[in-house]
Amino acid sequence: MNKQDLADEALFLLLHNEIVSCVYKSSEQGDAENGRCITKLENMGFRVGQGLIERFTKDTARFKDELDIMKFVCKDFWTTVFKKQIDNLRTNHQGIYVLQDNKFRLITQMSAGKQYMEHAPKYLAFTCGLIRGGLSNLGIRSIVTAEVSVMPACEYMTLLDAYF
């Protein structure tokens, strides 16, 4: 990794943290407001995901099926955005895909202590939207949720359109 890549990654991490901070500072911090903040961050990610996937797939051959699309998201899309592939992709072949990243870059800066687990969802919402927006631009409606059981590993559960 050269100096430019390190600088780009640092700027992306700082920008993401500042966006999360700004969204949360502008609200009143009730439970309803927390939900609105998560939705706002996810919607930002959705729009970014739509734009990125459009750029990344303009010279790509058509995908055969959902699994092909999910493999593209896990390898090419994730590598371009987060500089590494997804560590594990699981599916039940009925529209549920679980993307596992064992060292997710947006939460590696947070301590591994249990007290920080409650803050993890706000740092994962943008990425949920990123995945959902990318899939949307590839013609797949989806629901994406994130879960952290041990920091900094996280799982993105993706439920595709035909199954909800």
Side-chain angles (χ1 to χ4, degrees):
M1 188 176 270
N2 64 31
K3 288 180 183 182
Q4 180 65 38
D5 288 341
L6 288 173
D8 290 347
E9 183 177 346
L11 288 173
F12 175 68
L13 293 173
L14 289 170
L15 178 64
H16 179 265
N17 287 340
E18 193 58 34
I19 289 171
V20 170
S21 176
C22 184
V23 166
Y24 272 82
K25 280 181 184 174
S26 68
S27 69
E28 295 176 8
Q29 291 308 43
D31 283 342
E33 277 301 313
N34 188 38
R36 286 191 195 112
C37 291
I38 297 277
T39 301
K40 186 181 280 191
L41 289 166
E42 187 177 347
N43 287 338
M44 287 179 187
F46 182 85
R47 181 61 196 109
V48 171
Q50 283 182 317
L52 288 177
I53 210 78
E54 190 172 311
R55 294 175 92 193
F56 298 160
T57 59
K58 69 180 180 185
D59 297 327
T60 305
R62 217 165 193 28
F63 298 107
K64 293 184 295 190
D65 56 10
E66 294 170 349
L67 184 59
D68 230 17
I69 291 172
M70 293 307 293
K71 285 179 182 177
F72 175 82
V73 168
C74 292
K75 290 180 182 175
D76 300 320
F77 184 69
W78 207 263
T79 300
T80 304
V81 176
F82 297 110
K83 308 292 187 245
K84 69 183 278 293
Q85 290 184 6
I86 282 286
D87 294 310
N88 193 1
L89 170 66
R90 296 188 311 266
T91 182
N92 66 353
H93 298 287
Q94 296 178 354
I96 296 178
Y97 292 86
V98 178
L99 291 70
Q100 184 177 356
D101 191 334
N102 294 328
K103 194 171 178 185
F104 186 56
R105 294 204 189 288
L106 297 181
I107 59 174
T108 52
Q109 301 302 320
M110 296 174 69
S111 176
K114 291 276 186 200
Q115 70 269 30
Y116 297 104
M117 294 287 279
E118 68 186 50
H119 297 288
K122 62 185 174 186
Y123 292 95
L124 302 176
F126 181 84
T127 309
C128 287
L130 199 69
I131 296 168
R132 199 170 58 85
L135 291 174
S136 170
N137 238 20
L138 294 173
I140 297 176
R141 285 187 16 204
S142 61
I143 297 171
V144 180
T145 57
E147 181 180 301
V148 175
S149 52
V150 178
M151 296 279 249
C154 67
E155 292 185 344
Y156 291 94
M157 176 89 70
T158 307
L159 176 62
L160 303 186
D161 176 30
Y163 304 96
F164 59 85

